[in-house]
Each structure stands twice: as structure tokens, then as C-alpha cells.
Amino acid sequence: MIAPLAIVSAAAGVALVILGVAFLLAGWRVVVGPTLPDRILALDTLSGTAIGFIAVLAVKTGFSLYIDIAIALGLVGFLATVAFARFVMSRSTVAERHSEKTAGASKKPKVAAKRSRANERKGKA
């Protein structure tokens, strides 16, 4: 019969390999990601993967302090994701305002020209 510690050790080894692949893929998405939200999501995935690493190490070594570290990393990762999301939302709002200003600036001379023509007509009549 297989010893329970051998099963846990084998499962932890497999989990570390899978987490390593996930970490590499998420790191690649951070570097290559075409948009800022893709990079933010990849950073959140990296945080979750790091939490998984720490949890697997806690199970493998039996050192329970690692669980506290994983919880703290989870809280920091969540706050960082929320901060990045607010940044992206505020950035899109600024971009929308800028596009409205540039669109409004091109329309204003036309409106001003129409008003000046209307004022000329009133003056002549």
C-alpha cells in the first residue's frame, strides 16, 4: 500500500508543475498583452498563481505560517486589481472627454458661422 505522505508529495509535485506552467503563461500575457486590461488580468492571475504556490508549499512542508502569507498576498492582490480597474475606468472617462472636446471643437466654428449668417440677415432686414 502507498503511504499517505507519498501521495501528498506526488500531488504537490504535480500541482507545482501545473502552477509553474500557469505562471509562465500569465507572465507571457503580461509582457505581450495587447491591451492594458489584458495585462491587468494577467497580473491578477499571477497573484492567484503565487497564492497557489504558497498554499502547495504549506501543505508539502507542513509549515502553517505560509497560509497567513497566502492570505495577505490575496488581500494585496485584490486591492491592486481594484486600483488598476479604477485607473482603467478613469482613463477611459478622460479619453471620452477628450474625444468630445475635439468633436465639439470641430462643430463650433460651423455653428458660429451659422449664427453670424443669421445675425447678418437680421441686420439687413
Side-chain angles (χ1 to χ4, degrees), residues 30-116:
V30 168
V31 174
V32 177
T35 63
L36 184 61
D38 288 333
R39 289 185 169 108
I40 292 170
L41 185 62
L43 285 171
D44 190 39
T45 304
L46 282 175
S47 173
T49 306
I51 292 167
F53 269 119
I54 294 170
V56 169
L57 286 176
V59 169
K60 191 171 182 175
T61 62
F63 194 55
S64 62
L65 182 63
Y66 287 145
I67 299 298
D68 295 335
I69 295 169
I71 291 170
L73 181 60
L75 291 172
V76 170
F78 171 73
L79 291 175
T81 302
V82 170
F84 280 135
R86 286 184 57 109
F87 171 72
V88 168
M89 291 297 292
S90 68
R91 186 175 174 190
S92 66
T93 305
V94 169
E96 289 171 2
R97 287 185 199 151
H98 179 69
S99 65
E100 288 174 1
K101 285 181 181 178
T102 57
S106 64
K107 290 180 182 178
K108 285 181 182 177
K110 293 178 185 176
V111 172
K114 288 180 183 178
R115 287 182 184 162
S116 63

